[in-house]
Amino acid sequence: MSILRILGIAAVASALGGCSSNWGWYVVNPSTASGLSNLKFLLGGLYYTIALSVTAIAISITVGLLIALPGLAANRALRNVNRLYVELVRAVPILVLILWVYYGMPQMTGLSISVFWAGVIALALSDSAFEAEIFRAGIQSIDKGQYEAAHSVSLGYLDTMRFVILPQAIRRILPALGNQLAYMLKMSSLVSVIGMQELTRKANELVVTEYRPLEIYTILVLEYLVLILLVSAGVRWLERRLQSDQSR
Amino acid sequence: MNPQSATPIIEISDVCIFFGEFQALKDVSLDINLGERTVICGPSGSGKSTLIRCINGLEMHDSGSIKVDGELLTSSRSSLRSVRSKAGMVFQQFNLFPHLTVLDNLTLGPIRSRGLSQKEARDIAMHYLERVRIPEQSSKYPRQLSGGQQQRVAIARSLCMEPKIMLFDEPTSALDPEMISEVLDVIVELANSGMTMICVTHEMGFARKVADKMVFMDFGEIVEMSPPKKFFENPNSERCQDFLQKILHH
């Protein structure tokens, strides 16, 4: 519902804009052959934007969880490992990390890396520090009695986490995880600087040939808007589904 | 009492526990025989919960020793696992798993730590749900049950591990008054079936009914330990007399 409404408002705004002489919607008018091919060109970036974001978030959630767990340990050295990782990684701007991974790392390792994987690594690395903090907060919010109950039915650490603590923690951090996914979709636009053919790169390339930045970047804005509205609808659906059997 | 009860199933000797500077238990020694029903009472902060919690390693003792069914309790994983499989625990706050159905609450332990199949675990779970008289609630979630029902599920969850000993840490303190008796009835029934149990409670009527041994604790020490008749009618220590007066005459 809400997606349709927002898109409706956007459509009205563009239509109004179309009346003014500043707009030249013909570049993306699907009823003309060139407009249609321009539109297809722009949408062609969708695959990499999604593939980048989804791969990166899957990795960053996994790494984030693995980094969060030592942060919850009684052992101080383990907690420091967590602290060091989070502070270090969180301090590097994503754009800088992308450049470092793509141009810098091959010098260090002697291995060249594809644009796609450089993007995935940089995005995932940078996001993992935030995921780690989200997981730490979520796990810490679970009552101590849940651990005690799990221990009293002889569950070990891994089973306690897997069957008792994480299912409850993940329900609680779902809104925050949704935030990170939306953030990741947007940050994937930065990977355009190393030549990834995702949405933003496609738009940039079309602007260079068509000289209609206003229309093309407006389409770009709408593309991200649709993606992120879909993500938030998905997260809300998941929340409702999981909440139905959760206490409170 | 049968003859095998001569060897204690729980041997606690000279146990001390510190929480920072505070000494929660001071050289506590206590033997529990097989089949014996022990009730521990005492004012809050007296160490009674700490004592019952350290029997299955939820609190680690700093000195002294605890043996459960011949197994020396240490902080090693295997020792904790073995002791916990012998001593089930029921908590004041129930601590059911809120994201799992009643049935899944009951089968998780048996499947994951006792290695039973789904079906075996389910059969055991239904058996004990019937025993605590709520088999019809098996597919509900904990929040859909009353406090009394939740605590009975928690008791059934512990029983599904088929422990030799049941530990109850103030099982009725978090309940509304009208639900206390349904939980106590279940515990009494369990006591009558010969289960070895230790119960921390202030329900003195219940204690009189089921206890073989009464323990009174104060300031981290066992102050009085006697059979219920002597305990209620003629306790040795003044502190115990005071305490009983306060909780029996209000």
Side-chain angles (χ1 to χ4, degrees):
Chain A
M1 270 316 279
S2 62
I3 294 182
L4 290 177
R5 206 175 309 138
I6 293 172
L7 287 180
I9 294 168
V12 169
S14 340
L16 286 176
C19 300
S20 140
S21 58
N22 291 333
W23 295 81
W25 282 111
Y26 66 88
V27 279
V28 288
N29 185 346
S31 60
T32 68
S34 70
L36 190 64
S37 88
N38 282 347
L39 212 51
K40 277 186 181 158
F41 182 78
L42 286 173
L43 290 173
L46 214 50
Y47 171 76
Y48 276 122
T49 290
I50 294 172
L52 257 179
S53 313
V54 171
T55 315
I57 199 103
I59 295 172
S60 76
I61 284 180
T62 313
V63 174
L65 177 59
L66 293 178
I67 294 296
L69 293 177
L72 297 155
N75 183 316
R76 201 200 186 118
L78 285 176
R79 284 208 310 278
N80 285 339
V81 169
N82 163 280
R83 207 71 246 134
L84 189 71
Y85 183 92
V86 169
E87 298 300 351
L88 220 67
V89 171
R90 202 164 52 175
V92 185
I94 298 184
L95 182 54
V96 175
L97 202 56
I98 290 169
L99 296 173
W100 191 86
V101 170
Y102 188 61
Y103 296 112
M105 219 165 66
Q107 262 190 341
M108 191 172 76
T109 61
L111 300 166
S112 73
I113 186 168
S114 75
V115 171
F116 179 78
W117 284 105
V120 165
I121 289 171
L123 289 176
L125 198 61
S126 144
D127 192 56
S128 64
F130 294 91
E131 301 287 354
E133 288 296 83
I134 292 170
F135 271 108
R136 196 165 64 88
I139 293 169
Q140 270 173 348
S141 79
I142 304 298
D143 184 61
K144 187 168 136 262
Q146 292 291 309
Y147 292 91
E148 294 184 348
H151 293 156
S152 75
V153 292
S154 288
L155 295 187
Y157 174 77
L158 287 179
D159 277 352
T160 299
M161 279 295 161
R162 176 170 161 206
F163 294 105
V164 178
I165 305 302
L166 285 176
Q168 296 182 62
I170 286 170
R171 280 169 173 81
R172 293 188 189 181
I173 62 177
L174 215 50
L177 293 181
N179 262 351
Q180 288 308 114
L181 182 51
Y183 188 71
M184 187 70 94
L185 275 168
K186 294 196 284 185
M187 289 307 129
S188 68
S189 63
L190 292 173
V191 188
S192 63
V193 300
I194 54 171
M196 183 83 250
Q197 293 284 322
E198 44 66 72
L199 289 175
T200 303
R201 177 75 181 200
K202 291 276 187 186
N204 279 337
E205 286 180 1
L206 194 63
V207 165
V208 171
T209 54
E210 292 285 353
Y211 284 112
R212 299 296 325 184
L214 181 57
E215 295 74 12
I216 290 166
Y217 286 138
T218 304
I219 294 288
L220 183 60
V221 166
L222 292 177
E223 284 172 320
Y224 282 111
L225 181 65
V226 169
L227 280 180
I228 282 159
L229 288 175
L230 285 176
V231 164
S232 63
V235 170
R236 271 172 213 286
W237 173 80
L238 204 59
E239 258 181 78
R240 268 198 310 278
R241 246 201 65 163
L242 292 177
Q243 224 102 61
S244 61
D245 58 50
Q246 171 68 296
S247 63
R248 250 160 286 147
Chain B
M1 285 279 130
N2 51 38
Q4 68 194 102
S5 65
T7 36
I9 189 161
I10 302 177
E11 299 166 74
I12 302 172
S13 12
D14 303 318
V15 161
C16 294
I17 290 189
F18 292 85
F19 296 134
E21 294 287 288
F22 176 72
Q23 188 167 9
L25 290 182
K26 297 171 189 164
D27 292 313
V28 172
S29 295
L30 177 67
D31 284 350
I32 308 282
N33 292 319
L34 189 67
E36 196 170 33
R37 283 128 359 187
T38 308
V39 168
I40 304 176
C41 61
S44 66
S46 60
K48 54 193 192 307
S49 277
T50 308
L51 177 60
I52 199 169
R53 287 163 58 82
C54 73
I55 294 173
N56 77 346
L58 289 176
E59 307 290 351
M60 253 308 138
H61 48 288
D62 295 299
S63 64
S65 74
I66 298 174
K67 261 190 184 172
V68 178
D69 196 22
E71 175 90 33
L72 188 67
L73 177 63
T74 66
S75 56
S76 85
R77 223 175 276 182
S78 64
S79 157
L80 281 174
R81 254 187 125 103
S82 150
V83 165
R84 282 167 181 165
S85 69
K86 290 170 181 183
M89 182 87 172
V90 173
F91 303 91
Q92 184 178 349
Q93 300 295 341
F94 329 138
N95 295 343
L96 292 177
F97 306 130
H99 60 297
L100 300 178
T101 61
V102 166
L103 190 64
D104 290 341
N105 262 277
L106 267 56
T107 56
L108 180 59
I111 290 172
R112 297 303 304 182
S113 63
R114 293 180 59 206
L116 299 191
S117 71
Q118 288 274 359
K119 181 171 180 320
E120 290 168 319
R122 215 192 122 88
D123 290 346
I124 290 176
M126 289 315 293
H127 168 74
Y128 284 110
L129 277 180
E130 263 157 46
R131 199 142 159 206
V132 300
R133 294 191 285 273
I134 36 175
E136 72 283 0
Q137 311 285 8
S138 66
S139 59
K140 290 201 176 157
Y141 287 94
R143 71 181 157 128
Q144 297 169 303
L145 306 181
S146 72
Q149 291 173 325
Q150 289 191 41
Q151 191 60 299
R152 285 187 281 150
V153 171
I155 293 170
R157 178 175 67 181
S158 286
L159 291 173
C160 283
M161 297 299 290
E162 314 215 296
K164 291 188 166 175
I165 305 153
M166 284 289 282
L167 308 170
F168 294 91
D169 187 7
E170 303 203 34
T172 59
S173 300
L175 294 173
D176 291 335
E178 76 270 21
M179 292 170 183
I180 290 176
S181 66
E182 67 186 67
V183 171
L184 289 182
D185 286 349
V186 166
I187 301 176
V188 169
E189 237 180 72
L190 202 58
N192 291 339
S193 75
M195 175 66 82
T196 306
M197 61 169 71
I198 304 177
C199 184
V200 172
T201 185
H202 290 153
E203 297 291 334
M204 288 302 129
F206 161 80
R208 251 188 240 259
K209 209 189 302 178
V210 304
D212 301 313
K213 186 196 275 176
M214 292 294 302
V215 173
F216 172 75
M217 293 186 70
D218 202 7
F219 298 109
E221 291 170 314
I222 293 181
V223 176
E224 181 100 21
M225 178 153 58
S226 47
K229 192 167 158 58
K230 169 151 177 28
F231 183 87
F232 287 110
E233 286 161 18
N234 188 22
N236 291 327
S237 72
E238 215 169 291
R239 275 190 278 174
C240 188
Q241 284 167 18
D242 274 357
F243 176 77
L244 285 174
Q245 223 154 46
K246 274 182 208 143
I247 69 165
L248 293 177
H249 302 283
H250 67 77

